[in-house]
Amino acid sequence: MNYRSFFKAEWLSLLRRKQDTLNALLFFVMVIILFPLGVDPSSEFLAPAAGGIIWCATALSVLMAVEGMYKEDFNDGSLEQWLTSGLSITYLVFLKVLVQWLMVIVPLLIVLPLLAQMLFLPFSALWVVMTSILLGTPALFFIGSIGAALTVSLRRGAVLMLLLILPLYIPVIIFATGAVRAAQLDMNYSGQLAILAAISLVALALSPIMAAISIRASVN
Amino acid sequence: MNYRSFFKAEWLSLLRRKQDTLNALLFFVMVIILFPLGVDPSSEFLAPAAGGIIWCATALSVLMAVEGMYKEDFNDGSLEQWLTSGLSITYLVFLKVLVQWLMVIVPLLIVLPLLAQMLFLPFSALWVVMTSILLGTPALFFIGSIGAALTVSLRRGAVLMLLLILPLYIPVIIFATGAVRAAQLDMNYSGQLAILAAISLVALALSPIMAAISIRASVN
Amino acid sequence: MRVFLLQKSVNLQVTNLWIERGERDLCRDLSFSVRSGELVRIAGENGTGKSSLIKAILGWVRLEEGELEFNGEDVTLHRDVLLQNQLYLGHTPGIKSVFTALENLKLYCPEASEVALEQALAHVQLQAFADTPAAQLSAGQKRRIALARLWLTDKALWFLDEPFTALDVKGVEALELCMGAHLKNGGAIVITTHQPLLHLSPKTVELTL
Amino acid sequence: MRVFLLQKSVNLQVTNLWIERGERDLCRDLSFSVRSGELVRIAGENGTGKSSLIKAILGWVRLEEGELEFNGEDVTLHRDVLLQNQLYLGHTPGIKSVFTALENLKLYCPEASEVALEQALAHVQLQAFADTPAAQLSAGQKRRIALARLWLTDKALWFLDEPFTALDVKGVEALELCMGAHLKNGGAIVITTHQPLLHLSPKTVELTL
Amino acid sequence: MAFESWSDFWEMGKHGLYVWSTYGISMLLLVGLLVTTRLHRKQLRKQLKKRIQREQSR
Amino acid sequence: MNWTWFHKLGSPKWFYQWASNWGGRCVYLGLALMAIGIIWGLMFAPADYQQGNSFRIIYIHVPVAVLAQSCYLGMGIAGFVALVWQMKLAPVFIKAVAPVGAVMAFIALLSGAIWGKPTWGTWWVWDARLTSVLVLFLLYMGVIAIQNALDDPIFADKAVAVVSLVGVINLPIIKYSVEWWNTLHQPATFKLTEKPSMPMEMWLPLLFSALGLYLFAAGVAMWRMQNEVLLRERKANWVKKEVLNHGV
Ligand code: HEM
Ligand SMILES: Nc1ncnc2c1ncn2[C@@H]1O[C@H](COP(=O)(O)OP(=O)(O)OP(=O)(O)O)[C@@H](O)[C@H]1O
Ligand SMILES: Nc1ncnc2c1ncn2[C@@H]1O[C@H](COP(=O)(O)OP(=O)(O)OP(=O)(O)O)[C@@H](O)[C@H]1O
Ligand SMILES: [Mg+2]
Ligand SMILES: [Mg+2]
């Protein structure tokens, strides 16, 4: 095993199980459809709420996608093989998250314009939503990967740790929806986007290390 | 194996893995918290939308809980043992769903009053929300169990499951939120509740049979 | 629901079986019988279809053709009578990792008394681990939990798919003793294994690629 | 990142190992060595700690006490040198069920040429199943995919935890041949197995309860 | 005839784009359904023929 | 009553030959009728006094929307037949019709959406009928996805039958719920049901194109079923003969 073969395999396995990717996408679509149905289908309600709804749906589907990302590797013994491969687990985690991110976020961005229409999001705000998703979701993925690593072995402390990790999603969502709302009100939103990018960068730098530690601890 | 030992084991196994239960609950809380944060925290927005938000959160967390309900049984060979036990799979499915329902819905109902407060749901409507959850969620669980049974043998059938289930969840959500909204407008809501109960009864009667057929077909 | 009497006499007739998997015939026109007191070993290399044959008899793999008769009754379409009278242990024996050894055993043998359960665990050398969750047991110990069922069951026909996997020498010994006793009692066993049997002499059904 | 040279010479010294699991000592003051050309068999009944011992050497199970030395370097704290030079196959060998046999092998042996990969699969009798997803293979065939790696690797020290599980007689034969060749080449093997070895004579490390 | 001229017809009173894109895409999809069905048949025939010949040669 | 036709229908061989005769005729006749209806509608029917010419989308929109629902109903019945009587052709029918129905639902959505832009000023509203077509489309995708995801053909048949049947039971519930839900909020301007009844010269072409589309879809479905039958019965002698004799 080397980094390239690992990356290719991850890629292939996600392509094979297109479902996985589609899963997050469908979940996203589903949350977005549920809102008009469950709450209020009028454009007066939907248009101002659209950015928030889209971001909530994004966060939930990222969570869904990331939650079990190491489960199969744990069950079939792949994690043990990672550890004996002599490769850096931190980097393997990074690659895995990267693949996941691409596979989930790209399709999501493709269907977004259509769904945004269905929520009556003004066209001008669409670009801000897309940019915020591009900048913000890496943070969601990386933070989520720590949680996934923690829960993979079903250790007792895991739930607790999850409780600690989930709140980290909140700032991302607040800044992202803040940017969208600012855009809808014709205000400046570059500040929020910059913060989003900063959070993602920090998460990118720190999470693989944390996740690697958790993975190491979960194999025994 | 007989029905009693099966029921006890299911119960015990859910108690052991508190995580699963907690997971659904956490997801529920998270969705509900995301809304004020992501969309709009004002009571003018939240109060009328509260019923819908709560029901969307319920549907999503039920989905989350039900999705993998046979996965472990499939992997560790328990499904094969069900089939050779000579017991009726239909009834085993029924028992399993029953346990799941109790384990997810009871904690959810316990935290509900607090969360309803946070969404500014009027106290008078709280009871309707709770009743609608009691009457409507069995349908969600039973319908979900068909999807879970159809997709167990797939490596990651979650997506399919969503696709199969989502259309069937929509009526339940519509009637349930309809009841809540009627209650908030001081209108009569007993009709919707009756329909919810009827859907749940139909689902209860049919789904275990369908799920049993699917389980039988997926072991090979 | 019909209630079936547990019959200690076994007469399973398999006639002209044709099983196909993924475009490949695993067997064709295969016939054999399993009677009380008989140990039938299904032999063959990896991937020749031993497990599939057992699963086909139990009804999870489709028969392209063939008949099954159990104690004089045709069970090709409805396996109920057969299922009521058999015990199956496959490659993955349905052990839940969150349950302790005792709880796992109890799930499948709810009628057994506490004493009987503990004795069965003692037979497979697990008395000290009765209250350890299966997740914290070694590979062989996990298998042993499943095998402990054999000391408690009153089913007449056993299907054992590679029961010796992960077992140490003593474990194999104990299992063979148990199987011998069952055969003496009028039971019957269908087994697949790549390891030679030490004390029992089976009738062999050979599968080839 | 440091780059380590692959060394075909092996000298692993294990000194005074003390491993504890779930409040039980699995071994105490255990010392042994593994040198080029040596086959070391870790023996013991189910649950005595054979797998745990290997995992402790690889660094996943904590050592209460003890030292490890690999080719003269102390690796007790940092296993990198050891990990770079070994190949481990455990009870669950990391086979992905969505991948075909060939893809699974390629993942772990990315440097091997197509020809070499196909040859390795032929060694384990899987040439006909190269493009079948692992999910559709029999238990023994799945194990064989993992074992095929042994024909391709250039790692010097092998840790094989029950490699014969689910293998048929021919498969065991082929694997022993492969192991023999590796030992002749200056490699070393640490193995656990409950089945007797037919052609190779190991040095035994005995674990007891 | 509801139109005065061809250009009127193509324009559809400012709604040309809507009408023609609808019909265009719809027809494309319907024809696609037809074509894939026939292609599949052709492929299947080829495949089955090969199979049968392989069997007979054995 | 003579039940032989029922058993004949269950026989793949009989069906294959029957469909060889009728499949092509249905497709070609259907195409012809559709062409008549659509050309008539596009060129000769009078423009709508309110919507102008955008209304001409109706000649594809309505046939397709109605057919999308009929297809699912058929699949549901087939699902029931497959589960209860285990008739061999029932799963074949479902498998063949699902993509046809999905395409119809998709075109209905698409043509409706495009039509909505000039008439309502928006591509999409959360209206009862629109939503229930969307749900119908999702149901189709579910059936297709599950049959693609399962490699084991027997299991796939069972699964597809279960999904179709459950879906069809839910279809009226969905329709009812959505309609009921919608009437609470939706402004009446968007209601599809309260159209002025159509003059004959608008309605006749619609009839033609609808009939044509039905025939076309029936023919395509027969062809697809034939494909499936060929694949499934590939070991039967009659298939071998049929394959070898074809095109010699
Ligand atoms: C995505 C959007 C739309 C969808 C999914 C949709 C769906 C449907 C459906 C399912 C029917 C079938 C009625 C039946 O069962 O008899 C129908 C009929 C019809 N639709 Fe649409 N529709 C859409 C948009 C529109 C628009 C924008 C118009 C024009 C304003 C329109 C006009 C009609 C008319 C005139 C009928 C026939 C009336 C009747 O028989 O009830 N539709 N549509
Ligand atoms: N994950 C774990 N957590 C806690 N204790 C464990 C764990 N895995 C194994 N043990 C304990 O450690 C002991 C040794 O287990 P190990 O798997 O090393 O045995 P083994 O010698 O490999 O047995 P086998 O022959 O069955 O493979 C067992 O008694 C078991 O109870
Ligand atoms: N789920 C499946 N789907 C499709 N084909 C399968 C499936 N499982 C097994 N097969 C195929 O059926 C054949 C027989 O498999 P089976 O598991 O019965 O072999 P076996 O004789 O039990 O082998 P082993 O000794 O390895 O356990 C294999 O060649 C395999 O390719
Ligand atoms: Mg087998
Ligand atoms: Mg071990």
Side-chain angles (χ1 to χ4, degrees):
Chain A
M1 190 153 83
N2 58 23
Y3 296 117
R4 254 195 62 218
S5 77
F6 177 82
F7 185 76
K8 259 166 65 183
E10 280 300 316
W11 192 250
L12 195 64
S13 106
L14 276 186
L15 274 182
R16 276 294 145 75
R17 297 190 261 94
K18 281 186 215 70
Q19 305 181 346
D20 235 8
T21 330
L22 255 165
N23 191 5
L25 184 62
L26 245 156
F27 197 75
F28 180 73
V29 175
M30 183 165 150
V31 176
I32 285 188
I33 291 183
L34 278 186
F35 270 86
L37 288 178
V39 185
D40 187 343
S42 69
S43 70
E44 298 85 63
F45 167 81
L46 287 175
I53 294 178
I54 290 174
W55 253 95
C56 291
T58 309
L60 292 176
S61 49
V62 169
L63 197 72
M64 189 94 175
V66 173
E67 188 222 358
M69 70 187 276
Y70 304 108
K71 198 90 206 163
E72 204 176 305
D73 293 318
F74 179 74
N75 286 333
D76 68 15
S78 295
L79 286 191
E80 293 185 353
Q81 294 298 333
W82 294 14
L83 289 178
T84 59
S85 68
L87 303 175
S88 142
I89 311 291
T90 308
Y91 195 50
L92 292 182
V93 167
F94 170 76
L95 286 178
K96 196 172 171 97
V97 175
L98 185 68
V99 173
Q100 292 254 349
W101 183 77
L102 284 173
M103 290 295 252
V104 172
I105 293 303
V106 172
L108 202 147
L109 286 178
I110 291 174
V111 300
L112 190 60
L114 195 74
L115 292 173
Q117 270 284 316
M118 291 173 94
L119 293 180
F120 309 104
L121 184 80
F123 192 73
S124 57
L126 179 62
W127 293 109
V128 186
V129 173
M130 290 181 101
T131 322
S132 71
I133 285 181
L134 267 178
L135 292 176
T137 48
L140 299 186
F141 272 91
F142 280 107
I143 295 170
S145 79
I146 306 178
L150 280 169
T151 48
V152 74
S153 66
L154 281 179
R155 294 265 154 161
R156 237 180 286 130
V159 177
L160 240 171
M161 287 306 290
L162 255 189
L163 280 177
L164 293 179
I165 287 211
L166 281 184
L168 297 181
Y169 272 33
I170 289 174
V172 178
I173 290 168
I174 289 178
F175 285 114
T177 52
V180 178
R181 211 171 300 123
Q184 273 177 293
L185 299 175
D186 270 332
M187 280 155 58
N188 185 350
Y189 49 79
S190 53
Q192 282 100 319
L193 289 184
I195 294 176
L196 273 188
I199 297 180
S200 279
L201 279 177
V202 172
L204 185 150
L206 288 183
S207 324
I209 301 173
M210 311 276 267
I213 293 174
S214 321
I215 286 176
R216 230 173 253 287
S218 70
V219 170
N220 68 18
Chain B
M1 189 153 83
N2 58 24
Y3 297 117
R4 255 194 62 219
S5 77
F6 177 82
F7 185 77
K8 260 166 64 184
E10 281 301 317
W11 192 249
L12 198 63
S13 107
L14 275 187
L15 275 182
R16 281 290 148 76
R17 291 190 266 96
K18 283 182 212 70
Q19 192 161 11
D20 274 10
T21 329
L22 248 164
N23 228 341
L25 187 62
L26 242 159
F27 202 75
F28 179 74
V29 175
M30 189 165 141
V31 176
I32 286 187
I33 290 181
L34 279 186
F35 267 83
L37 287 179
V39 186
D40 186 345
S42 70
S43 72
E44 298 85 62
F45 167 81
L46 286 175
I53 295 176
I54 290 175
W55 254 95
C56 290
T58 309
L60 293 175
S61 49
V62 169
L63 199 75
M64 192 89 175
V66 176
E67 188 222 347
M69 71 186 274
Y70 305 107
K71 202 88 204 167
E72 204 176 304
D73 293 318
F74 179 75
N75 286 333
D76 68 13
S78 295
L79 286 191
E80 293 185 352
Q81 294 298 333
W82 294 14
L83 288 179
T84 58
S85 68
L87 302 176
S88 144
I89 311 291
T90 308
Y91 195 50
L92 292 182
V93 167
F94 171 77
L95 288 178
K96 194 171 172 98
V97 175
L98 186 68
V99 173
Q100 292 254 349
W101 184 75
L102 285 172
M103 289 298 251
V104 172
I105 293 304
V106 171
L108 203 147
L109 286 179
I110 292 173
V111 300
L112 190 60
L114 193 74
L115 292 172
Q117 270 283 312
M118 292 170 71
L119 294 179
F120 307 105
L121 184 81
F123 191 73
S124 56
L126 180 62
W127 292 108
V128 186
V129 173
M130 290 181 102
T131 322
S132 71
I133 286 181
L134 268 178
L135 291 177
T137 49
L140 300 186
F141 273 89
F142 279 107
I143 295 170
S145 78
I146 304 180
L150 280 169
T151 51
V152 258
S153 64
L154 305 175
R155 286 307 119 190
R156 276 235 179 149
V159 72
L160 259 181
M161 153 97 197
L162 281 182
L163 194 55
L164 296 173
I165 292 312
L166 167 65
L168 309 183
Y169 273 22
I170 287 177
V172 178
I173 291 170
I174 288 178
F175 285 118
T177 52
V180 178
R181 210 170 301 120
Q184 274 177 291
L185 300 174
D186 270 332
M187 281 155 58
N188 185 351
Y189 49 79
S190 54
Q192 284 98 319
L193 290 185
I195 294 175
L196 273 188
I199 296 179
S200 279
L201 279 177
V202 172
L204 184 150
L206 285 183
S207 316
I209 301 174
M210 296 294 174
I213 292 175
S214 317
I215 285 176
R216 228 174 255 287
S218 67
V219 169
N220 68 19
Chain C
M1 216 174 78
R2 271 207 287 168
V3 174
F4 304 92
L5 268 181
L6 294 176
Q7 301 148 305
K8 248 323 195 218
S9 81
V10 175
N11 184 357
L12 176 67
Q13 296 281 348
V14 177
T15 352
N16 289 332
L17 226 55
W18 174 14
I19 306 172
E20 203 185 79
R21 263 205 140 162
E23 299 289 302
R24 249 184 58 216
D25 287 354
L26 296 182
C27 63
R28 196 136 189 190
D29 296 328
L30 181 74
S31 302
F32 63 92
S33 66
V34 187
R35 293 216 177 71
S36 281
E38 271 183 353
L39 171 65
V40 175
R41 172 175 177 181
I42 303 173
E45 297 177 8
N46 287 141
T48 43
K50 303 178 294 299
S51 304
S52 302
L53 175 56
I54 294 182
K55 288 179 184 174
I57 294 175
L58 292 173
W60 313 327
V61 165
R62 194 169 65 127
L63 305 180
E64 300 292 317
E65 258 172 36
E67 273 101 51
L68 295 175
E69 211 185 286
F70 184 73
N71 290 357
E73 198 168 325
D74 186 345
V75 293
T76 317
L77 293 179
H78 298 285
R79 303 275 154 84
D80 303 353
V81 193
L82 176 60
L83 290 180
Q84 298 279 342
N85 285 289
Q86 62 72 47
L87 185 154
Y88 166 78
L89 290 182
H91 283 292
T92 46
I95 295 302
K96 297 242 165 264
S97 51
V98 284
F99 287 174
T100 65
L102 192 64
E103 285 164 351
N104 265 304
L105 195 56
K106 229 187 236 166
L107 163 62
Y108 290 107
C109 306
E111 303 87 3
S113 64
E114 283 293 318
V115 183
L117 289 170
E118 304 231 322
Q119 267 176 358
L121 283 181
H123 276 297
V124 292
Q125 243 87 57
L126 282 180
Q127 61 278 60
F129 297 91
D131 296 324
T132 311
Q136 290 175 26
L137 292 178
S138 80
Q141 289 171 324
K142 260 181 233 158
R143 294 284 310 184
R144 281 159 183 263
I145 302 177
L147 293 170
R149 239 181 280 170
L150 297 179
W151 274 268
L152 291 171
T153 186
D154 52 0
K155 301 296 165 81
L157 176 57
W158 295 356
F159 291 97
L160 306 179
D161 197 354
E162 301 284 343
F164 301 132
T165 299
L167 282 197
D168 61 21
V169 183
K170 268 200 211 161
V172 172
E173 194 84 14
L175 181 53
E176 283 206 26
L177 277 179
C178 175
M179 283 163 54
H182 179 61
L183 294 174
K184 279 226 187 69
N185 268 341
I189 303 177
V190 176
I191 192 175
T192 79
T193 173
H194 297 295
Q195 281 171 259
L197 291 161
L198 302 173
H199 305 292
L200 302 168
S201 46
K203 186 170 110 177
T204 303
V205 174
E206 188 82 34
L207 294 179
T208 46
L209 269 180
Chain D
M1 214 174 79
R2 270 208 289 169
V3 175
F4 304 93
L5 269 179
L6 292 177
Q7 303 149 305
K8 247 320 196 223
S9 80
V10 175
N11 184 356
L12 176 68
Q13 296 282 348
V14 178
T15 354
N16 289 332
L17 226 54
W18 172 17
I19 306 172
E20 205 183 79
R21 262 207 141 161
E23 299 292 304
R24 248 183 60 217
D25 286 356
L26 295 182
C27 63
R28 194 130 193 195
D29 294 331
L30 181 75
S31 303
F32 64 92
S33 67
V34 187
R35 293 216 178 73
S36 280
E38 270 184 354
L39 171 65
V40 175
R41 173 176 177 182
I42 303 172
E45 297 177 9
N46 287 140
T48 43
K50 303 179 294 299
S51 304
S52 302
L53 174 56
I54 294 182
K55 289 179 183 172
I57 293 175
L58 291 173
W60 313 327
V61 165
R62 198 166 62 120
L63 305 179
E64 301 294 315
E65 254 173 38
E67 273 101 51
L68 295 175
E69 211 184 287
F70 184 73
N71 289 359
E73 199 169 323
D74 187 345
V75 292
T76 318
L77 293 180
H78 298 286
R79 302 274 154 79
D80 302 353
V81 194
L82 177 59
L83 290 181
Q84 299 277 343
N85 286 289
Q86 60 74 45
L87 185 155
Y88 165 78
L89 291 182
H91 284 291
T92 46
I95 296 301
K96 296 244 165 265
S97 48
V98 285
F99 286 174
T100 65
L102 193 65
E103 286 164 352
N104 264 304
L105 195 55
K106 228 186 237 165
L107 163 62
Y108 291 107
C109 307
E111 301 88 4
S113 65
E114 283 293 318
V115 183
L117 289 170
E118 303 227 326
Q119 267 177 357
L121 283 180
H123 277 297
V124 292
Q125 242 85 57
L126 281 181
Q127 61 277 62
F129 296 90
D131 297 323
T132 312
Q136 291 175 25
L137 291 178
S138 79
Q141 288 172 324
K142 259 180 236 158
R143 293 286 308 186
R144 280 159 183 264
I145 302 177
L147 293 171
R149 237 180 283 170
L150 297 179
W151 272 268
L152 292 171
T153 185
D154 53 359
K155 301 296 164 82
L157 176 56
W158 295 356
F159 291 97
L160 306 180
D161 198 354
E162 301 284 343
F164 301 132
T165 300
L167 283 197
D168 60 21
V169 182
K170 270 199 209 161
V172 172
E173 194 84 13
L175 182 54
E176 282 207 24
L177 277 179
C178 175
M179 283 163 53
H182 179 61
L183 294 175
K184 278 225 187 70
N185 267 341
I189 303 177
V190 176
I191 192 176
T192 79
T193 173
H194 297 296
Q195 281 172 258
L197 291 161
L198 301 174
H199 305 293
L200 303 168
S201 46
K203 184 172 112 179
T204 302
V205 174
E206 188 82 33
L207 294 180
T208 46
L209 269 180
Chain E
M1 190 72 179
F3 298 94
E4 311 267 289
S5 67
W6 279 109
S7 61
D8 265 9
F9 177 60
W10 296 124
E11 252 167 48
M12 286 271 163
K14 293 205 197 115
H15 293 318
L17 188 63
Y18 298 114
V19 173
W20 294 119
S21 62
T22 306
Y23 277 94
I25 299 172
S26 307
M27 288 307 143
L28 215 69
L29 284 169
L30 290 181
V31 170
L33 202 59
L34 194 71
V35 170
T36 47
T37 306
R38 294 315 290 182
L39 278 184
H40 186 209
R41 172 80 58 92
K42 226 181 190 171
Q43 234 178 0
L44 208 63
R45 278 228 156 85
K46 232 189 253 166
Q47 226 177 336
L48 290 180
K49 214 173 220 166
K50 241 191 231 157
R51 232 184 100 100
I52 293 167
Q53 278 157 0
R54 203 167 355 121
E55 259 174 34
Q56 281 171 348
S57 67
R58 243 189 300 158
Chain F
M1 174 147 173
N2 187 353
W3 280 93
T4 41
W5 64 271
F6 191 75
H7 292 290
K8 263 198 208 153
L9 252 181
S11 144
K13 182 183 174 187
W14 180 85
F15 171 80
Y16 186 89
Q17 270 143 14
W18 181 80
S20 302
N21 290 332
W22 288 96
R25 287 179 211 179
C26 283
V27 169
Y28 299 125
L29 184 63
L31 279 176
L33 285 182
M34 239 159 68
I36 296 174
I38 288 175
I39 292 174
W40 186 351
L42 281 177
M43 296 180 84
F44 301 101
D48 188 82
Y49 69 97
Q50 265 184 339
Q51 304 184 11
N53 286 310
S54 72
F55 116 99
R56 289 174 202 281
I57 293 176
I58 200 171
Y59 298 108
I60 189 79
H61 174 78
V62 170
V64 143
V66 177
L67 183 55
Q69 297 166 48
S70 314
C71 282
Y72 205 89
L73 184 63
M75 281 164 53
I77 295 170
F80 184 77
V81 171
L83 289 178
V84 175
W85 292 300
Q86 324 241 318
M87 196 199 248
K88 261 185 168 177
L89 273 181
V92 175
F93 177 83
I94 300 177
K95 210 175 163 191
V97 168
V100 178
V103 168
M104 297 306 154
F106 182 78
I107 300 180
L109 281 171
L110 189 96
S111 58
I114 296 179
W115 195 358
K117 192 69 187 172
T119 36
W120 304 337
T122 169
W123 305 98
W124 183 264
V125 287
W126 291 95
D127 165 89
R129 236 189 258 188
L130 276 58
T131 310
S132 66
V133 175
L134 181 64
V135 171
L136 185 67
F137 180 66
L138 288 178
L139 282 173
Y140 277 121
M141 293 316 283
V143 175
I144 293 173
I146 189 123
Q147 85 193 5
N148 284 339
L150 298 171
D151 306 318
D152 180 12
I154 307 145
F155 182 15
D157 285 356
K158 280 257 167 66
V160 160
V162 167
V163 176
S164 310
L165 180 56
V166 172
V168 93
I169 292 171
N170 262 278
L171 213 52
I173 301 180
I174 292 168
K175 243 189 134 117
Y176 169 61
S177 73
V178 167
E179 245 150 53
W180 170 86
W181 152 75
N182 169 265
T183 45
L184 259 186
H185 318 270
Q186 202 60 45
T189 43
F190 289 165
K191 274 184 101 169
L192 296 179
T193 37
E194 289 166 19
K195 283 250 121 208
S197 58
M198 243 181 269
M200 197 46 113
E201 61 268 38
M202 282 182 176
W203 186 77
L204 262 183
L206 186 58
L207 185 68
F208 268 80
S209 72
L211 267 180
L213 190 72
Y214 262 80
L215 277 175
F216 170 80
V220 170
M222 278 185 229
W223 279 352
R224 297 184 78 90
M225 283 175 76
Q226 278 186 307
N227 290 355
E228 193 60 27
V229 165
L230 274 183
L231 184 68
R232 288 179 184 215
E233 301 284 315
R234 61 188 174 276
K235 282 184 218 126
N237 277 326
W238 71 266
V239 170
K240 289 183 185 168
K241 234 180 270 164
E242 151 73 28
V243 169
L244 289 180
N245 290 343
H246 182 79
V248 246

